[in-house]
Amino acid sequence: MAKLEDRTPSQITSAAVRWYVRLPASARDALRRIEAQGDRAIEEAAWAAGRALLDRQYADALRSGADRAPSTLPVDASEEDILAEATRITRRR
């Protein structure tokens, strides 16, 4: 993994520990219970955690984009108005 990410093994370990110690005690308990269930449970939990992180990143990106290009659409905007606004906020500057 370190080679794939062009990081040292200690950087990977440090990141993992940093995340683990920031988890609430209840989440660490849940992680230990999941680990006791075996590899499949761990893979499913890792996938769910990954989805949560990607969902957070997506929400941040949307918020950032909305802040940079605030909409001027009225609440009762037509389809035509929405299309024109979408074109405006995505146009290269």
Side-chain angles (χ1 to χ4, degrees), residues 19-89:
W19 273 95
Y20 183 82
V21 299
R22 287 188 172 130
L23 289 172
S26 58
R28 290 192 307 271
D29 290 343
L31 180 58
R32 286 190 294 276
R33 286 191 298 274
I34 290 166
E35 287 175 327
Q37 294 174 18
D39 288 343
R40 183 178 172 108
I42 293 168
E43 289 296 323
E44 289 172 355
W47 189 88
R51 274 294 350 133
L53 292 169
L54 292 171
D55 288 346
R56 169 61 191 266
Q57 184 180 29
Y58 180 71
D60 289 348
L62 285 179
R63 204 170 17 263
S64 173
D67 290 346
R68 283 185 280 137
S71 175
T72 58
L73 284 174
V75 176
D76 60 345
S78 69
E79 291 285 329
E80 217 172 271
D81 295 335
I82 294 170
L83 181 57
E85 181 68 1
T87 302
R88 182 190 73 79
I89 65 174

Side-chain angles (χ1 to χ4, degrees), residues 5 7-22:
E5 295 183 8
R7 299 167 80 183
T8 65
S10 63
Q11 287 173 317
I12 299 292
T13 302
S14 176
V17 170
R18 203 169 36 251
W19 273 95
Y20 183 82
V21 299
R22 287 188 172 130

